[in-house]
Amino acid sequence: MEKIDKEATKSEIMRYRGIKAMPFNIGNETFEKLGTIGSSSNLLVYLIFHLKTITATNIINIFNGTCNFGTLLGAFLSDTYFGRYSTLGFASLSSFLGMLVLTLSAAISRMHPPVCGNQEAASCVGPTTKQMTFLLIGFGLLVIGSSGIRPCNLAFGADQFDPNTAPGRKGISSFFNWYYFSLTFAMMVSLTVIVYVQSNISWSLGLAIPTIMMFLSCALLFAGTKIYVRMVPKGSHLSIVAQVFVAAFKKRHLQLAEQPCVALFNYISSDSLNSKLCYTDQFRFLNKVAIRTPENEINSDGSAADPWRLCSIQQIEEVKCLLRVVPIWVAGTVYYVSVVQQQNYVVFQALQSNRQLGHNHFRIPPASFIVFPFLCISIWLPIYDRILLPWLRKFTRKEDGITLLQKMGIGMFISIMTMIISAIVEDRRRSLALTRPTLGITQGKGAISSMSGLWLIPQMTLSGLTEALTLFSESEFFYKQCPENMRSIAGSFLFVGMAGSSYLSSLFSSVVHKTSNWLAEDLNKGRLDYFYYLIAVLQILNLAYFLLCAKWYKYKEAGSNTKLSESKEQSGKPPV
């Protein structure tokens, strides 16, 4: 059990005050998302007024990728050195400063180049070195903030409840529900109200609003300081992974016994909270790590004197859990390329589509089309939970209805259909722009097609459905299949996969742009539909790879329902 920071509490009764702390945690999360989601989603529109499309797209892809990849470093530093509270506080301040820099870059004329206007993109004046440096400083501060907030916020909120009591467990469940509700609410407001202000009123005002929201997020976080439970960091669990691989290299020449599960070293620490894992034959080369040789000394408590030369079966199986999810993680990373590319280029499609609603003068902001996936998710989740899941349980006679890998596979299949539909819609938009009267010229791009932007809603709705099936299942998959003491790292897997998707998307776009004219500044002169078809082919290959990995995958099996803390086994005994 983790030690509690002395400043957090002084008695057992005061130790967990989750209900009192929850408003501060939820408020911090809500204002943080209000401050960053809308701005990050609309930054692409802001950048293309000053940069070329491919440059702006690559900057956003790299920015999003670095934010997600940084969560792994944030989780490591939090668990090893600083703790979740300190990491969250520092990251929140960094996000606030990053938003402040972006606001100043828009509000001060000397901090940004002139808007391109309706002229050709080639004649636009680009940013100076100082202007670009100032902008990148803002992005850098936001990267630091995201790297600390994303892996720590949810876990820190759950820390405020006692998991060993019934009220505490109910409180954790309630916190998760409110967390996702606030997340959805923040996304809706950010992608509609804040994006509208940025696109139609003023960029300086539109960026100042989320900056104020981020300030309120910091204020709420620090306001609850005296009642928070703050766990003392216990060190990184990645050292176990390193020990197993180092010992495997040292013992690579040894031979396993005919019944290795009986002969191998099987010490289990009494203070571990991990479930006991069954012995498996996958990755057999790692099992050599548990072969006890004469040079392997044992401590008085039964543990290995040198963990870099001898590890237990339990430790090896924990590492195997991580290795088994890697192929699934790769498939998820390639899958998310379709989501990244569509969310990027749907903004450009919207810019050159008729976004006017009815006969009034209201026009939908381009970045607001990204709200439709979230609308789909918010509608789909209760339908699945209340209607489809009970039916699936009766049909399959399984508590989960269908497995997590099956849900991911269905989502990946729908992503293929999504890209095909996107290509068909883009072909129609382009054809109308070239053959029918247009509605003017968009800034720095080309003619606006008479096709209604509402035709972009089906592809964005399907994109939301694929995310609900694939990404949510992938997140739950990592959480359940990784050892309990590595779940902070598991929580970063999804974000790291998104980072890889952003980098891969940037590379993919750059290669296509250099080898063809499909991704022209003016979509009417390019063939974005061909690009969508190419992504569909990539997703077909990825689905085939995923099906092979899913067939090979072996779900984690616990050898006992009890925790290791309740049963310490002696060295040499076979696993239960």
Side-chain angles (χ1 to χ4, degrees), residues 70-84 87 152 233 236:
T71 59
L72 189 61
L73 178 61
F76 172 78
L77 294 176
S78 173
D79 288 346
T80 308
Y81 299 108
F82 306 118
R84 294 190 182 105
T87 302
C152 295
S236 175

Side-chain angles (χ1 to χ4, degrees), residues 147-436:
S147 299
I149 292 173
R150 293 180 181 180
C152 295
N153 194 286
L154 187 60
F156 180 71
D159 284 344
Q160 308 311 309
F161 298 88
D162 187 353
N164 299 314
T165 64
R169 290 191 291 270
K170 291 181 180 179
I172 292 175
S173 178
S174 177
F175 171 76
F176 273 84
N177 291 335
W178 279 103
Y179 178 89
Y180 287 114
F181 174 80
S182 66
L183 181 63
T184 303
F185 170 78
M187 288 178 175
M188 297 295 183
V189 175
S190 294
L191 294 173
T192 52
V193 178
I194 294 179
V195 167
Y196 177 80
V197 173
Q198 292 173 344
S199 301
N200 295 276
I201 299 178
S202 167
W203 273 103
S204 56
L205 177 62
L207 288 172
I209 293 175
T211 302
I212 295 172
M213 295 296 179
M214 197 62 233
F215 174 80
L216 293 176
S217 174
C218 295
L220 276 173
L221 173 67
F222 295 124
T225 298
K226 293 184 178 180
I227 64 174
Y228 289 147
V229 170
R230 287 180 278 172
M231 305 295 182
V232 175
K234 296 181 63 178
S236 175
H237 302 295
L238 292 178
S239 59
I240 296 177
V241 179
Q243 289 168 357
V244 169
F245 278 104
V246 170
F249 178 79
K250 293 178 179 179
K251 295 185 175 181
R252 63 189 183 279
H253 300 300
L254 299 180
Q255 297 295 324
L256 288 170
E258 295 183 1
Q259 294 182 325
C261 63
V262 177
L264 297 180
F265 177 68
N266 193 29
Y267 168 79
I268 301 176
S269 174
S270 61
D271 62 355
S272 174
L273 297 178
N274 283 355
S275 300
K276 291 187 290 185
L277 300 178
C278 294
Y279 172 87
T280 63
D281 286 327
Q282 286 184 324
F283 305 108
R284 284 177 58 87
F285 70 95
L286 292 180
N287 294 338
K288 297 179 180 180
V289 177
I291 298 177
R292 184 176 173 183
T293 62
E295 63 180 6
N296 295 143
E297 298 181 1
I298 303 299
N299 294 323
S300 58
D301 62 353
S303 63
D306 186 357
W308 294 94
R309 292 183 176 274
L310 179 65
C311 300
S312 67
I313 293 176
Q314 175 71 18
Q315 291 174 306
I316 296 169
E317 292 300 327
E318 290 173 3
V319 174
K320 287 182 181 180
C321 288
L322 293 181
L323 291 179
R324 277 194 290 265
V325 303
V326 170
I328 305 298
W329 174 82
V330 172
T333 300
V334 177
Y335 149 76
Y336 200 66
V337 168
S338 64
V339 178
V340 172
Q341 294 290 12
Q342 190 172 61
Q343 289 184 351
N344 283 340
Y345 283 98
V346 75
V347 175
F348 301 137
Q349 288 180 280
L351 280 170
Q352 292 188 244
S353 299
N354 181 12
R355 293 178 282 116
Q356 185 171 333
L357 288 180
H359 298 289
N360 55 46
H361 297 289
F362 177 79
R363 293 199 304 168
I364 304 174
S368 289
F369 282 91
I370 303 176
V371 78
F372 290 103
F374 299 117
L375 282 172
C376 176
I377 291 172
S378 63
I379 294 172
W380 163 257
L381 289 178
I383 291 177
Y384 177 80
D385 187 63
R386 298 297 181 181
I387 300 176
L388 292 180
L389 184 57
W391 179 82
L392 287 172
R393 284 171 176 167
K394 293 180 180 179
F395 183 76
T396 63
R397 296 182 180 180
K398 296 180 180 179
E399 183 179 354
D400 294 331
I402 57 177
T403 67
L404 293 173
L405 291 178
Q406 287 172 336
K407 287 175 65 177
M408 291 174 62
I410 295 172
M412 290 180 181
F413 174 78
I414 295 177
S415 73
I416 297 172
M417 305 306 299
T418 302
M419 300 315 301
I420 294 175
I421 292 174
S422 301
I424 294 173
V425 171
E426 169 57 19
D427 180 58
R428 177 63 175 170
R429 187 209 62 78
R430 180 176 177 274
S431 297
L432 290 177
L434 296 177
T435 60
R436 302 284 181 86

Side-chain angles (χ1 to χ4, degrees), residues 122-140:
S123 61
C124 293
V125 178
T128 64
T129 301
K130 291 183 178 179
Q131 290 170 344
M132 181 60 74
T133 301
F134 191 71
L135 180 67
L136 293 180
I137 288 174
F139 279 120

Side-chain angles (χ1 to χ4, degrees), residues 27-177:
N28 166 255
E29 172 66 14
T30 302
F31 283 117
E32 189 272 329
K33 289 297 182 287
L34 284 171
T36 58
I37 289 181
S39 298
S40 61
S41 299
N42 210 28
L43 280 176
L44 183 59
V45 178
Y46 176 66
L47 290 181
I48 61 177
F49 289 153
H50 309 297
L51 302 171
K52 291 184 178 181
T53 298
I54 191 65
T55 303
T57 302
N58 285 339
I59 288 178
I60 292 299
N61 282 336
I62 294 172
F63 167 70
N64 290 332
T66 308
C67 284
N68 289 321
F69 188 78
T71 59
L72 189 61
L73 178 61
F76 172 78
L77 294 176
S78 173
D79 288 346
T80 308
Y81 299 108
F82 306 118
R84 294 190 182 105
Y85 173 77
S86 298
T87 302
L88 196 57
F90 178 80
S92 296
L93 288 174
S94 181
S95 288
F96 166 69
L97 292 176
M99 288 304 307
L100 183 61
V101 169
L102 290 185
T103 302
L104 293 176
S105 72
I108 303 175
S109 58
R110 291 180 299 175
M111 291 293 100
H112 63 262
V115 177
C116 289
N118 295 331
Q119 56 191 351
E120 292 293 331
S123 61
C124 293
V125 178
T128 64
T129 301
K130 291 183 178 179
Q131 290 170 344
M132 181 60 74
T133 301
F134 191 71
L135 180 67
L136 293 180
I137 288 174
F139 279 120
L141 290 170
L142 287 175
V143 166
I144 295 173
S146 297
S147 299
I149 292 173
R150 293 180 181 180
C152 295
N153 194 286
L154 187 60
F156 180 71
D159 284 344
Q160 308 311 309
F161 298 88
D162 187 353
N164 299 314
T165 64
R169 290 191 291 270
K170 291 181 180 179
I172 292 175
S173 178
S174 177
F175 171 76
F176 273 84
N177 291 335

Side-chain angles (χ1 to χ4, degrees), residues 328 405 545-555:
I328 305 298
L405 291 178
Y545 163 77
F546 172 79
L547 293 176
L548 291 175
C549 293
K551 184 177 181 180
W552 167 84
Y553 188 82
K554 181 179 177 61
Y555 282 92

